[in-house]
């Protein structure tokens, strides 16, 4: 019985993504990549204002159904300047976003869903802009 509960929990809560890396591209975009999580169908990317060390400040979100996410240069948090660091965290989900047409809307629908739970957050990766 205990084994069955562990299997059920793994299905409900995928593992946190590992090996998260990020780089600022010459176009000004930031690309974040990470290892695939077995059973994950989508990923919620949380990011915060420049130089933030508090995960709770990661109020911005993106969405991906692959193991990479690109933050457009115009979506980098306001006030960030050259040399600042943008913190990123990634969360895995075993479902596709239930609604939304843009990545931000899809991220919000996963984040705000009351019946969907994602993994723990990955370790923080900081990308210098």
């Amino acid at each position: 019985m205990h084994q069955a509960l562990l299997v059920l929990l793994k299905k409900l809560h995928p593992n946190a993504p590992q090996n998260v890396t990020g780089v600022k591209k010459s176009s000004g975009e930031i690309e974040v990549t990470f290892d695939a999580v077995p059973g994950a169908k989508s990923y919620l990317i949380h990011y915060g204002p420049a130089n933030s060390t508090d995960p709770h400040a990661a109020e911005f979100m993106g969405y991906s159904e692959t193991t990479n996410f690109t933050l457009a240069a115009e979506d980098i948090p306001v006030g960030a300047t050259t040399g600042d660091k943008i913190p990123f965290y990634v969360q895995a989900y075993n479902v596709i976003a239930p609604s939304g047409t843009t990545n931000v809307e899809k991220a919000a629908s996963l984040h705000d869903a009351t019946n969907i739970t994602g993994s723990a957050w990955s370790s923080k990766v900081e990308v210098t802009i």
Side-chain angles (χ1 to χ4, degrees):
M1 180 90 148
H2 182 48
Q3 187 76 9
L5 182 58
L6 288 174
V7 169
L8 178 61
L9 285 175
K10 284 189 179 266
K11 287 182 181 178
L12 293 175
H13 307 287
N15 294 326
Q18 301 294 309
N19 299 314
V20 180
T21 61
V23 64
K24 181 183 175 199
K25 299 170 84 175
S26 60
S27 61
E29 299 172 323
I30 295 175
E31 184 174 37
V32 176
T33 60
F34 40 91
D35 291 347
V37 173
K41 294 182 180 177
S42 64
Y43 300 91
L44 181 58
I45 297 82
H46 303 266
Y47 60 101
N51 306 312
S52 173
T53 58
D54 180 5
H56 297 98
E59 60 186 314
F60 307 107
M61 294 181 289
Y63 175 84
S64 180
E65 293 175 11
T66 66
T67 57
N68 68 0
F69 168 74
T70 301
L71 179 64
E74 62 268 17
D75 293 332
I76 292 173
V78 174
T81 60
T82 301
D84 284 344
K85 294 179 181 186
I86 306 297
F88 289 87
Y89 308 84
V90 183
Q91 199 177 10
Y93 283 81
N94 62 1
V95 297
I96 301 294
S99 65
T101 54
T102 68
N103 282 340
V104 172
E105 290 172 347
K106 289 177 180 181
S109 73
L110 266 184
H111 181 268
D112 297 342
T114 58
N115 60 340
I116 301 172
T117 304
S119 70
W121 289 19
S122 68
S123 298
K124 174 175 72 172
V125 64
E126 293 179 321
V127 179
T128 302
I129 58 171

